[in-house]
């Protein structure tokens, strides 16, 4: 589900950049799977899970084609997509952190890999669209993912059941992200940066 | 030969962006070897073949220097370069697919890796040149690579001799690409996308 | 120390692009650690060292926060940052080359990996900032790193003590880079490139 929602955000960017259907599918796939690929390559878990089970690969194709055909309808529901995207972010930061822990990484690197899993797909999407990653600006996005990842690490250390850990980690990430969107929280920028 | 042609397209972009000779060499190397590096990193075949045999590394250096010194002549022959590039694409999608199969990937992921081998170098070139990958727009480029990769997978499954598989896979890719160039086929774009 | 200086250059770019504090930290981390990550992924040394010892991860965070809070003072000292950056480049090209040799790469690929370790972080920084990598233009930057890497390879082949090899390799890189800055050496550009 996280892959699907992420892939839709990628496909929407592709539609807005006037890409053709294959460009849109590649952007959808990169956004949906990029974070997990980046994590797996960094922790040495190659080939990534999505390359071992081809059904994973169908998900972004479905999301990309859906957006290609119905992009006016999907675009009008962008607010809903952004909310679902927060759920995807929560899931990805938890699963990314757990996989990194499983591969023997320490708590801080594992949390970082959880964040990378969450934000990497969107960063790859923005790189391929030749724009500065939106995660770098304005809305809080990386911070909730990192917070959720640290909650996941803490829960794992305390040997809590996986389900409890996952719900707590994803919950912190999702709630933080949604509240940040709702209250329009902004991360601090450097003093006087607008004039630099 | 594929590396050489791809490297020339990279070097030409570098010349047009007014890069210096080292920038041109790095772009040539990235374009020629990037697709194979990306595939090898994803399937866990590290270090990539080009790092195990340094003679591979000389190919993009030669292509880059040739383009650096004779870029007006090379630039005038861009149509020929594009035709040779189709042959490079055909070779890469076949070798990439075969290597991924050899590393135990299933048919769909192996075909995807074949496509990545073919288009990855050009995408890396465009990323480093800060432009949206040209593979995302207009001309058909990724599709012939994917088609050739699937032919290769099918041929391997049928236990045909490697030479037959390679000729069939590369042939489908090259013919499709050349016909698409000749007839100026365009991939479909989203309805109303020009006005989005 | 190399990580720290590189991270400062990344954070300065982030400040100038009006990124928020998290964007600045991510750019700082990417610039400081990106070259080593890229090398480790290519030679198959995963997970990279910086993910095995979390104290490495604190260095770019410190550099990023320092730049975030005191960017006017850091910005005024940019000349000093550039000189320190040359020292970072020298260290990275030596350590990168030695690590690649240790992982069994031949002399030419090992030297290339040394160069990649030195310039990869800056290239990743520029990619994430959506600009053509500065290493491709004007100042000599990649060449000193490659020269230092080849000196390191030669020294290792001669079985000289590691300290001697490191000082010689880093020295060649640093002196070349500083002299190039001081005399404003430029790499050759293609004939007539301004009008291409």
């Amino acid at each position: 589900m996280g892959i699907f929602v992420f892939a839709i955000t990628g496909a929407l960017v592709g539609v807005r950049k006037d890409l053709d259907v294959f460009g849109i599918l590649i952007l959808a796939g990169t956004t949906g799977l990029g974070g997990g690929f980046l994590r797996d390559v960094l922790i040495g878990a190659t080939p990534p899970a999505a390359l071992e089970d081809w059904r994973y690969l169908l998900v972004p194709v479905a999301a990309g084609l859906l957006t290609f055909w119905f992009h006016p309808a999907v675009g009008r529901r962008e607010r809903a997509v952004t909310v679902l995207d927060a759920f995807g972010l929560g899931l990805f930061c938890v699963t990314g952190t757990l996989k990194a822990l499983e591969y023997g990484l320490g708590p801080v690197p594992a949390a970082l890999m959880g964040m990378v899993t969450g934000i990497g797909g969107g960063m790859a999407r923005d790189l391929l669209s030749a724009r500065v990653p939106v995660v770098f600006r304005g809305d809080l996005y990386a911070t909730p993912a990192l917070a959720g990842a640290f909650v996941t690490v803490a829960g794992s250390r305390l040997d809590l059941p996986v389900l409890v850990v996952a719900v707590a980690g994803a919950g912190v990430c999702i709630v933080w992200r949604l509240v940040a969107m709702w209250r329009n929280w902004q991360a601090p920028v450097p003093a006087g940066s607008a004039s630099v």
Side-chain angles (χ1 to χ4, degrees), chain A:
Chain A
M1 197 210 79
I3 298 175
F4 189 81
V5 177
F6 276 27
I8 283 185
T9 73
L12 273 179
V13 171
V15 167
R16 279 173 194 155
K17 288 255 171 180
D18 287 334
L19 303 188
D20 63 36
V21 63
F22 303 108
I24 290 170
L25 288 180
I26 295 179
L27 262 192
T30 310
T31 314
L33 304 170
F37 276 26
L38 182 55
R39 175 205 60 214
D40 287 345
V41 164
L42 283 175
I43 66 177
T46 51
L51 292 181
E52 302 218 298
D53 184 345
W54 61 277
R55 280 166 301 183
Y56 279 113
L57 299 174
L58 288 189
V59 175
V61 170
L65 288 177
L66 186 83
T67 310
F68 177 73
W69 282 314
F70 305 111
H71 65 90
V74 174
R76 273 196 305 276
R77 284 170 187 77
E78 191 154 25
R79 184 112 194 131
V81 170
T82 314
V83 170
L84 289 174
D85 183 86
F87 282 84
L89 185 68
L91 285 178
F92 274 36
C93 78
V94 168
T95 57
T97 306
L98 290 176
K99 183 157 186 185
L101 286 172
E102 196 186 304
Y103 273 77
L105 267 69
V108 176
L112 190 73
M113 287 300 101
M115 186 188 80
V116 162
T117 311
I119 72 174
M123 284 173 64
R125 173 197 65 208
D126 294 338
L127 277 182
L128 290 175
S129 322
R131 63 181 195 183
V132 174
V134 290
V135 62
F136 284 5
R137 302 204 175 178
D139 281 352
L140 289 178
Y141 195 85
T143 338
L146 190 58
F150 270 114
V151 169
T152 308
V153 167
S156 290
R157 275 293 168 103
L158 295 172
D159 277 327
L160 298 178
V162 168
L163 192 66
V164 173
V165 171
V167 169
V172 164
C173 172
I174 294 165
V175 169
W176 187 333
R177 171 85 185 116
L178 291 180
V179 171
M181 280 164 54
W182 174 49
R183 304 296 300 261
N184 204 24
W185 285 346
Q186 301 281 322
V189 295
S193 78
S195 64
V196 169

